[in-house]
Amino acid sequence: QDHVCSLPKVPFRGAPCSDAAGSQVPYATIMKQVNSSLSGMLWDEVQKAPFYEYKDSVGQFHQVWFDDPHSISLKAAYVKSRGLRGIGMWNGNSLDYSREAVAEQQTQAMWQALTP
């Protein structure tokens, strides 16, 4: 109800809470799963990032954080406003490069968001 998710403590370069406890999900999977999730797309105003929550087949809750064109464009605008030298995505090959019209639109929007 309060959208708080805790990660198990998995050692990762000495950090007590890290991405080593989670896993990467391709953007294509996220875009297909978000609409059927329990929560739908949610927005965290502090992180300026979307996320959603779902329950798996054994009843365990999961929380998925990701960037979309809106969150990427906010970060790109911040970089530009601070006169920083650049911005990049973690893993551009996780976008959906299929020939489906919706996928092409989503992928194009992500790349365009990098240029404020």
Side-chain angles (χ1 to χ4, degrees):
Q1 289 180 339
D2 57 5
H3 307 294
V4 174
C5 182
S6 61
L7 293 174
K9 292 185 179 185
V10 177
F12 182 71
R13 298 184 191 166
C17 184
S18 73
D19 61 351
S23 61
Q24 181 174 318
V25 178
Y27 191 71
T29 303
I30 289 170
M31 290 295 95
K32 290 175 182 167
Q33 191 177 44
V34 69
N35 291 329
S36 63
S37 67
L38 291 172
S39 64
M41 191 180 304
L42 300 169
W43 180 262
D44 183 88
E45 192 57 38
V46 174
Q47 302 297 322
K48 305 284 190 225
F51 68 100
Y52 66 92
E53 298 163 335
Y54 72 94
K55 193 177 347 180
D56 66 19
S57 60
V58 295
Q60 186 173 2
F61 284 95
H62 298 269
Q63 196 173 73
V64 179
W65 288 76
F66 59 100
D67 276 310
D68 65 0
H70 179 63
S71 63
I72 290 282
S73 66
L74 292 172
K75 292 168 183 165
Y78 178 82
V79 166
K80 186 175 183 178
S81 74
R82 297 293 183 171
L84 301 176
R85 298 196 64 135
I87 187 170
M89 282 192 268
W90 169 250
N91 202 347
N93 67 351
S94 289
L95 297 173
D96 188 346
Y97 292 101
S98 69
R99 302 251 179 217
E100 295 176 21
V102 172
E104 285 182 344
Q105 180 184 7
Q106 290 170 343
T107 298
Q108 182 179 9
M110 283 293 274
W111 284 111
Q112 287 174 340
L114 288 169
T115 308

